[in-house]
Amino acid sequence: MKTFRYTNLDISKVIEESIENPSKVYNITHIADFDGIGSASIIRHYFKIPIQNILFCDYTPEKIKEVLDIVKSDNKSKIIILSDLGIDEKTIPLFTDLINHLKATNSKIIWLDHHNWTDKAINDIGRRCDYIIGGDNGKYCGAELVYQNLIISYFKDTNLGEKLSNIAHKTDFNLPNKGETINNLIEAITYINNHHLNDLSKLVEVISEGNIDSDRIKDYANQYIIEEKDSIITLKKNIFKKQLSNKIIVGVGFANFIESNKAASIIKDTTNCDISIFIGPKENKISIRSNDKVNSIEIASILGGNGHERAAGASVDKKVKLNIKNPESIHSYANYILKLSEKIYENKRVTKNEKSKSI
Ligand SMILES: [Mn+2]
């Protein structure tokens, strides 16, 4: 489903209300990359919301429940801004609960997202939001939607918002030549996600003050680089491929602690694949990247996830016990993923079209 938009409120009034009353504003943002972190930093910079009102969320039902329970424990009227978070079919009931709570407390929900939404997600959740932009968006990432909808027309000095949303665009659309500052940000966020989740709030504080070149960010990036050396060796030893009868090549690779785009590019370089599926056994994370012959969402949705046509994700089923040091567990899951890919993509007529490349 392509980009959609529903609004039934006067957004300028809600923005005024948010500036006057920052403690009633919550931001639920994507935990894993600069798009989510940049969105939160923009919101924090302009609306001055308390740092504890910024809640970092991934796509696992456990994490979503944890975050939504925090929001629901505040029974006052609130303004909830969701940024760079999509919705998987299995998490629709959790968000239905949230919206019921928000309606009961006379709260507002603003959702700014650029991932694929199914018809069911749009009907059950999208249409009940007060202000929403959702659906696979070939032009703008989450932080850009935050900047364009909540900042640009309402604040005098829009420099930092513009700067952070431009950085998010480069990272989310994985544009080349990002430069050292942006690479450091990407690596720092990956390292913090892997080891120091509590530090995400500090990172948002630093970025929301405009200190994107801070030593703290460089330190985290350096630690990522040190760890990445071993992870890349592991990944290269754990790459599998299969060529389907229609010539589509599927590559699957396993390693802990590598940034998803980087891992996908290593799998692609090794296998020359059309779709690369990177699996992080420790985080139970599946990251899918594909070229224009293959739609990543198709396998992601069967694995319980979602995303974009060229970049999607899912989680490894909790019943599957993966351990990078246990070759049997890796081999059997690789086989499962390759067979599943064959089933999904073998009979696809390969067509070329230009679609969204963001994450
Ligand atoms: Mn994004």
Side-chain angles (χ1 to χ4, degrees):
M1 184 73 189
K2 293 286 106 193
T3 311
F4 62 91
R5 177 187 196 115
Y6 302 115
T7 67
N8 66 6
L9 51 69
D10 180 348
I11 191 79
S12 61
K13 271 202 180 133
V14 177
I15 286 169
E16 232 171 76
E17 202 184 330
S18 303
I19 295 168
E20 273 164 27
N21 227 326
S23 66
K24 70 188 281 188
V25 182
Y26 287 81
N27 174 218
I28 302 174
T29 199
H30 188 210
I31 197 166
D33 58 36
F34 188 82
D35 197 15
I37 301 301
S39 299
S41 303
I42 293 171
I43 290 166
R44 161 106 173 138
H45 178 80
Y46 288 98
F47 295 101
K48 315 279 182 237
I49 74 172
I51 197 71
Q52 65 270 20
N53 285 18
I54 295 175
L55 304 168
F56 303 95
C57 197
D58 60 21
Y59 287 94
T60 60
E62 296 77 21
K63 187 75 191 176
I64 294 171
K65 192 172 180 311
E66 181 192 317
V67 163
L68 299 190
D69 281 348
I70 295 172
V71 173
K72 289 195 297 190
S73 70
D74 176 353
N75 270 320
K76 294 193 284 290
S77 163
K78 306 172 278 295
I79 295 160
I80 309 292
I81 306 167
L82 284 109
S83 49
D84 190 36
L85 261 192
I87 186 160
D88 297 344
E89 287 275 304
K90 63 177 185 292
T91 58
I92 290 175
L94 292 169
F95 285 104
T96 301
D97 252 21
L98 172 73
I99 292 185
N100 291 342
H101 161 86
L102 295 176
K103 302 275 177 206
T105 53
N106 194 25
S107 301
K108 299 273 183 292
I109 177 164
I110 299 167
W111 198 323
L112 300 169
D113 177 46
H114 67 131
H115 298 90
N116 177 58
W117 282 57
T118 61
D119 289 339
K120 182 168 169 53
I122 293 172
N123 285 324
D124 290 6
I125 307 296
R127 289 183 196 277
R128 296 185 69 202
C129 291
D130 298 290
Y131 187 101
I132 182 165
I133 296 173
D136 204 356
N137 190 323
K139 274 195 184 153
Y140 304 120
C141 64
E144 288 178 292
L145 295 176
V146 167
Y147 174 63
Q148 291 160 4
N149 287 275
L150 306 182
I151 312 298
I152 199 166
S153 310
Y154 308 102
F155 293 87
K156 260 195 207 139
D157 181 354
T158 55
N159 284 342
L160 189 67
E162 189 181 350
K163 186 172 173 181
L164 296 181
S165 65
N166 285 340
I167 293 176
H169 184 91
K170 284 186 187 157
T171 62
D172 240 42
F173 286 80
N174 198 18
L175 300 184
N177 309 319
K178 290 190 260 300
E180 196 183 331
T181 299
I182 297 181
N183 284 331
N184 283 343
L185 283 165
I186 295 170
E187 287 158 3
I189 291 167
T190 306
Y191 192 78
I192 293 172
N193 261 277
N194 288 336
H195 300 288
H196 301 282
L197 274 187
N198 292 336
D199 290 1
L200 279 174
S201 300
K202 287 181 206 149
L203 187 70
V204 166
E205 285 186 305
V206 169
I207 296 172
S208 67
E209 284 156 12
N211 300 324
I212 55 171
D213 279 308
S214 91
D215 286 342
R216 188 190 275 274
I217 293 168
K218 285 179 199 156
D219 282 350
Y220 282 126
N222 286 337
Q223 291 182 69
Y224 169 81
I225 291 291
I226 292 166
E227 186 171 73
E228 189 198 64
K229 281 191 184 128
D230 284 341
S231 301
I232 289 178
I233 294 170
T234 305
L235 175 61
K236 287 183 174 167
K237 284 184 193 156
N238 287 285
I239 290 179
F240 307 83
K241 78 180 248 189
K242 186 173 188 106
Q243 180 161 17
L244 312 184
S245 63
N246 54 358
K247 297 262 165 42
I248 285 173
I249 299 174
V250 184
V252 180
F254 296 79
N256 295 320
F257 308 143
I258 307 188
E259 192 270 315
S260 302
N261 284 324
K262 179 116 187 213
S265 75
I266 293 169
I267 296 168
K268 185 172 170 46
D269 291 347
T270 312
T271 60
N272 196 25
C273 59
D274 297 293
I275 177 166
S276 93
I277 301 170
F278 169 59
I279 295 156
K282 198 138 204 162
E283 310 130 88
N284 284 327
K285 179 181 84 174
I286 305 176
S287 301
I288 304 153
R289 301 288 182 272
S290 58
N291 62 20
D292 54 11
K293 292 184 194 167
V294 184
N295 181 353
S296 293
I297 293 170
E298 291 183 44
I299 188 161
S301 60
I302 296 209
L303 293 165
N306 205 342
H308 308 281
E309 293 190 1
R310 306 288 160 256
S315 304
V316 178
D317 192 302
K318 272 203 290 192
K319 283 176 229 139
V320 179
K321 299 285 173 230
L322 280 183
N323 182 344
I324 194 70
K325 293 195 172 129
N326 174 353
E328 246 170 66
S329 75
I330 300 299
H331 287 172
S332 80
Y333 201 68
N335 275 333
Y336 163 71
I337 293 291
L338 290 172
K339 280 206 179 113
L340 186 63
S341 310
E342 186 170 22
K343 223 163 128 189
I344 297 167
Y345 297 116
E346 180 96 285
N347 297 317
K348 292 279 170 224
R349 275 188 51 219
V350 178
T351 51
K352 273 204 156 191
N353 52 359
E354 195 51 44
K355 287 283 161 59
S356 167
K357 295 186 185 72
S358 57
I359 37 180

